[in-house]
Amino acid sequence: MKILSKIITLLLIISVILVSCTKNVDPPLPGDALSGTIAPVTKLTAVPTTDEKELEISWTNPNDDALLKVSISFMPTTNNTGSAPNPVLVNATKGTEQKISLIMPQAVKYVVSVVAINKAGAKSNETTVQATPFSVNPPAVVDNTPLFLRRADTMMTSLVQLYLTNKPRDIWQSSYPNKPQDFWDGAAVIWGHGGVFSGYAALREASESYPAYKQKMVTLYDARLLTGIDKFRNRANNGPEAYAVYPGTGDERFYDDNIWVGLDMVDLYQLTKSAGYLDRAKIVWNFVLAGTDTKMGGGVYWKEFGNSKNTCSSAPAAVLAAKLYQATKEPAYLQSAKELYEWTKSKLQDPSDYLYWDNVTLSNPNDPNSALNIAKDKYQYNSGQPMQAAVLLYNITGETKYLTDAQNIAQSAYKKWFIPFASYALGEQIRILEPGHVWFQAIMFRGFIELYKVDHNKTYVNAFKKTMSNAWLSNARNRTTNLINNDLRGGTTQTSFDILMQGACLEMMARLALLEKEGL
């Protein structure tokens, strides 16, 4: 009994000790409680951008004061390869719309999941959406629209918004940001107008096989842009009708400015068979004929009442004549094309490298038999246009001397104006157009394209493709405006953008879209 009594006493002592050691738990203070739940995000979308493998994700946050962050994750619908290694956490503000652009590991369909998180760490139910980013080589079953057509269309939309919409007389402004002066409303001169019109004309052709894009061009741009550029036509000095530098009855006219417009018009005629375009091309040609004479052996003056005959007026005049011959089969055009080509080659080609000098003048303006002075500057377009003229003449005549001429020019032009470049945007070493005048480069591209269609050598056109891919994907392009820096490599800061240069970028991308369709 004594032993049992001792055991009972010991158990009582232990129970007292355990009770005395138990801590009191204070009840929660009224202000410390956070909800253990939070509503999910709404209005979730994920759409591909024009950049490879990029999705723009947007959503609306729940209207909850305790909202802290949202978590974004993604996973391919086919397998787990290319899933987000960790969710992306983004600071969030209640009730607001937010967006973020993410680069996906692959160009496949993804399930994108977004979860709201509150300050207590509570997570909402997932909100999901599916999307597929663009790829440089998209599967045909997804979208057969050339990548450069999408890019060119994006840029055209931006140019119209920034340079044309709500602008005086509905003609293109010269620069962005717009800088009108007291004596000038900021409108572009015909050179700038012609540059962006060339971009439009190239995009018009690139859109022809894609009904949605073609309809957009026909509906939004065809009549509007033709009306705009026609505002530059005049009959100054009782001369033939032509496109003046600026709208007005007495404004001066340049032969090269007109030829660029005439080339676009004959191209649009060949595309649409609309006689109005051919009529305008012939107006330009009649003006060009007024700029020729026998001084210096032939050629085309640079401007009315000028004294220089230039490669930039004579070589594209040969191209225009060749194109008019192709459109009409009138022999006089072919004869003019041959004569202008031969004159330009004999007077202005550098025999050491086949590239072209800028212009010639008489050493004594009052003596038509005096020696010629040659301005030996070399610009890209001054070699690109003889190259294009030579290929056109080869196509028409079958004479191989013209093809040889074009190939010689192409080889030297590529060597002179393309440089090695390590493109971080493309992740490879490329040859890229050296920094220079982008419009000159776009005109040169026309010659390379004409040659590629005949000899199928992809080296030169691929270099343009790499150049413009780098320009679009790198920081050479402003992601807000879609305008492109004059230095197509990227890495430079630019605050003002001239419509001439932007039109040139548009033209090159549109022409690349045509080459893409043909298998480049």
Side-chain angles (χ1 to χ4, degrees), residues 45 56-61 72 90 96-101:
T45 64
E56 183 181 81
I57 301 161
S58 65
W59 66 92
T60 298
N61 291 319
I72 304 165
V90 180
T96 61
E97 180 182 348
Q98 286 188 242
K99 64 176 59 178
I100 186 173
S101 294

Side-chain angles (χ1 to χ4, degrees), residues 327-362:
T328 67
K329 303 305 180 187
E330 294 179 20
Y333 291 124
L334 178 56
Q335 185 62 31
S336 292
K338 290 178 177 179
E339 291 173 356
L340 287 165
Y341 175 79
E342 294 299 338
W343 181 89
T344 309
K345 180 181 177 182
S346 66
K347 295 294 189 291
L348 288 162
Q349 187 179 47
D350 182 346
S352 71
D353 63 4
Y354 305 108
L355 301 180
Y356 279 73
W357 296 312
D358 189 60
N359 69 79
V360 293
T361 56
L362 292 170

Side-chain angles (χ1 to χ4, degrees), residues 176-255:
Y176 178 84
N178 308 127
K179 299 176 181 177
Q181 307 292 328
D182 291 340
F183 59 90
W184 173 55
D185 62 10
V189 297
I190 190 62
W191 189 15
H193 253 267
V196 73
F197 194 85
S198 294
Y200 146 75
L203 182 56
R204 179 71 168 81
E205 183 178 358
S207 301
E208 187 69 13
S209 299
Y210 304 91
Y213 289 90
K214 179 180 178 179
Q215 183 61 34
K216 181 178 180 180
M217 297 296 294
V218 171
T219 303
L220 297 182
Y221 304 139
D222 280 8
R224 182 181 187 185
L225 299 187
L226 189 63
T227 299
I229 203 164
D230 275 350
K231 292 176 182 176
F232 289 77
R233 286 161 61 174
N234 75 16
R235 290 182 176 273
N237 306 305
N238 295 317
E241 187 175 13
Y243 292 86
V245 170
Y246 196 76
T249 56
D251 224 75
E252 63 181 346
R253 293 99 62 86
F254 284 71
Y255 293 106

Side-chain angles (χ1 to χ4, degrees), residues 42-282:
T42 57
K43 299 181 181 179
L44 175 63
T45 64
V47 295
T49 70
T50 55
D51 290 345
E52 187 177 16
K53 301 178 185 177
E54 185 177 69
L55 290 176
E56 183 181 81
I57 301 161
S58 65
W59 66 92
T60 298
N61 291 319
N63 192 24
D64 189 323
D65 290 331
L67 176 67
L68 179 64
K69 293 181 181 290
V70 296
S71 169
I72 304 165
S73 59
F74 50 84
M75 179 181 294
T77 57
T78 52
N79 55 60
N80 290 332
T81 304
S83 301
N86 294 296
V88 178
L89 293 176
V90 180
N91 293 331
T93 304
K94 70 168 188 174
T96 61
E97 180 182 348
Q98 286 188 242
K99 64 176 59 178
I100 186 173
S101 294
L102 297 177
I103 302 295
M104 302 291 108
Q106 302 176 50
V108 297
K109 183 180 286 188
Y110 283 88
V111 176
V112 179
S113 303
V114 179
V115 174
I117 305 172
N118 73 8
K119 296 174 183 177
K123 296 183 178 180
S124 72
N125 293 331
E126 282 188 337
T127 304
T128 63
V129 68
Q130 294 188 11
T132 304
F134 284 141
S135 169
V136 171
N137 298 302
V141 294
V142 175
D143 188 353
N144 66 351
T145 305
L147 179 62
F148 274 103
L149 178 55
R150 295 196 296 265
R151 290 172 176 173
D153 176 68
T154 296
M155 189 173 193
M156 181 70 179
T157 300
S158 292
L159 295 185
V160 170
Q161 181 62 37
L162 298 175
Y163 293 84
L164 186 60
T165 300
N166 297 324
K167 299 302 185 290
R169 292 171 289 176
D170 201 37
I171 58 177
W172 298 98
Q173 293 288 286
S174 176
S175 64
Y176 178 84
N178 308 127
K179 299 176 181 177
Q181 307 292 328
D182 291 340
F183 59 90
W184 173 55
D185 62 10
V189 297
I190 190 62
W191 189 15
H193 253 267
V196 73
F197 194 85
S198 294
Y200 146 75
L203 182 56
R204 179 71 168 81
E205 183 178 358
S207 301
E208 187 69 13
S209 299
Y210 304 91
Y213 289 90
K214 179 180 178 179
Q215 183 61 34
K216 181 178 180 180
M217 297 296 294
V218 171
T219 303
L220 297 182
Y221 304 139
D222 280 8
R224 182 181 187 185
L225 299 187
L226 189 63
T227 299
I229 203 164
D230 275 350
K231 292 176 182 176
F232 289 77
R233 286 161 61 174
N234 75 16
R235 290 182 176 273
N237 306 305
N238 295 317
E241 187 175 13
Y243 292 86
V245 170
Y246 196 76
T249 56
D251 224 75
E252 63 181 346
R253 293 99 62 86
F254 284 71
Y255 293 106
D256 65 330
D257 287 346
N258 274 264
I259 294 167
W260 307 124
V261 176
L263 289 168
D264 294 331
M265 295 300 178
V266 73
D267 285 347
L268 287 166
Y269 169 73
Q270 292 284 55
L271 178 69
T272 67
K273 300 306 178 185
S274 173
Y277 292 124
L278 184 59
D279 291 342
R280 288 168 173 81
K282 288 181 177 181

